[in-house]
Amino acid sequence: MTFLRTVAFDRAEVASHGTALSRLRADDIQAVVIRNVFTSAECASIVAEIEANAQDFPTTSFPAPFRSHFYGMNLNLADPDLEAYFAMAPRFAKSLAALMVPHGGFDARVMAAFSAIDGGRPYGAPPGPPGAGPYMVTTLRSHHEGGYIPPHFDNEQRMRPSYRHLESLIAGDTFSFVLTLSKAERGGMLEVFEAQSEAWSSRFQNRDRAAPKPDLSGFARHAFDVEAGTIVLLRSGRMLHRVTPVVGGTKRWTACSFMAASRAGDGVYCWG
């Protein structure tokens, strides 16, 4: 795994890793793994709640071939006018808050950990356009049997029309996190390839149509096989990555956000 330099530690150790995310942005490391952000018992409780949708989350879907759905809305898939996105955002925020109350709150358990490993920089949702509230800070994703995400670079998504407003607020590369809430029986792993965007981004751009992609068999790769309650942060704007197909009937549940520094330099914005 020499191409993917990674730092791993427990949530209880975040205070000792205050430069981890500045190192990631500088490409000194490419991934950070934080274990035990939630306990296995907490993850089991959270998954039971979201399987039943006890908090009445609004639901959207990936395109049908990906066999996956969201609680919340992925900005990549939103209409460019963002009307439906921001109409949904308050309901999603209310549902997420209700889900996380027994666990101390999403900000306290997740955003605070990121702030601690980024020199105290605040992490949170970007403000929306005039007249709208903030963006959704994350999405909850369910990958069903056969569900997957094809290889891509996250910087590419910012060319989409739905990013016009957000692009005025952020600077630098996109990075991202995946919080595993439940593992698939097999597959469903975040897999990273030894392919940098400078050389390969044009070959993997999503133009919303079928197009031949390079053969990945010759690329070195690493799949993160992590336990529930673990967060993986990845320099995903510039590292080619995918989610491998889920095998078996157990859904892969995750919380995921994209992130980038605020253009004003006063923090880091996170969005679903």
Side-chain angles (χ1 to χ4, degrees):
M1 201 176 61
T2 55
F3 78 92
L4 190 69
R5 296 184 295 275
T6 302
V7 173
F9 47 86
D10 282 355
R11 177 175 174 263
E13 301 171 303
V14 294
S16 300
H17 294 273
T19 63
L21 289 183
S22 62
R23 292 178 63 197
L24 184 139
R25 282 193 296 271
D27 202 28
D28 179 40
I29 56 177
Q30 289 78 46
V32 177
V33 177
I34 312 176
R35 300 179 295 256
N36 298 311
V37 177
F38 293 88
T39 67
S40 59
E42 286 177 316
C43 288
S45 174
I46 290 168
V47 169
E49 293 282 302
I50 57 180
E51 284 277 5
N53 198 7
Q55 287 76 27
D56 192 28
F57 279 97
T59 303
T60 56
S61 294
F62 274 102
F66 300 144
R67 298 185 57 79
S68 308
H69 73 272
F70 298 97
Y71 287 162
M73 186 182 295
N74 188 310
L75 187 61
N76 300 356
L77 303 177
D79 288 337
D81 64 15
L82 299 183
E83 183 177 347
Y85 181 96
F86 285 108
M88 182 182 289
R91 180 179 161 197
F92 175 81
K94 182 178 179 181
S95 298
L96 181 65
L99 176 69
M100 288 294 170
V101 161
H103 311 290
F106 187 79
D107 286 355
R109 293 297 287 271
V110 178
M111 298 289 109
F114 299 157
S115 180
I117 63 173
D118 200 9
R121 290 178 179 85
Y123 275 65
Y135 284 78
M136 298 180 219
V137 72
T138 193
T139 55
L140 303 180
R141 301 184 181 190
S142 174
H143 293 271
H144 305 242
E145 185 168 17
Y148 72 102
I149 300 176
H152 63 287
F153 298 97
D154 284 345
N155 279 349
E156 180 269 335
Q157 68 198 20
R158 287 164 56 177
M159 294 185 284
R160 290 176 176 269
S162 56
Y163 274 73
R164 286 175 186 149
H165 173 260
L166 184 57
E167 269 295 299
S168 70
L169 304 179
I170 57 178
D173 290 328
T174 301
F175 58 112
S176 62
F177 83 82
V178 178
L179 163 62
T180 297
L181 296 170
S182 66
K183 296 173 62 174
E185 292 168 27
R186 285 179 288 142
M189 289 184 284
L190 173 63
E191 187 172 54
V192 185
F193 297 88
E194 190 176 17
Q196 294 281 343
S197 61
E198 291 85 350
W200 293 96
S201 63
S202 64
R203 304 289 297 279
F204 287 92
Q205 283 183 10
N206 181 354
R207 297 181 177 89
D208 295 323
R209 59 178 173 80
K213 304 295 185 185
D215 181 4
L216 295 175
S217 61
F219 288 92
R221 65 189 70 193
H222 175 75
F224 286 94
D225 186 9
V226 299
E227 297 304 314
T230 299
I231 285 178
V232 177
L233 296 113
L234 180 68
R235 199 167 183 262
S236 56
R238 292 184 178 268
M239 302 290 296
L240 184 67
H241 61 287
R242 68 174 180 174
V243 174
T244 63
V246 167
V247 179
T250 301
K251 297 185 184 72
R252 174 193 188 253
W253 278 102
T254 60
C256 306
S257 298
F258 307 105
M259 300 182 278
S262 68
R263 193 174 290 268
D266 56 354
V268 176
Y269 288 139
C270 311
W271 65 93

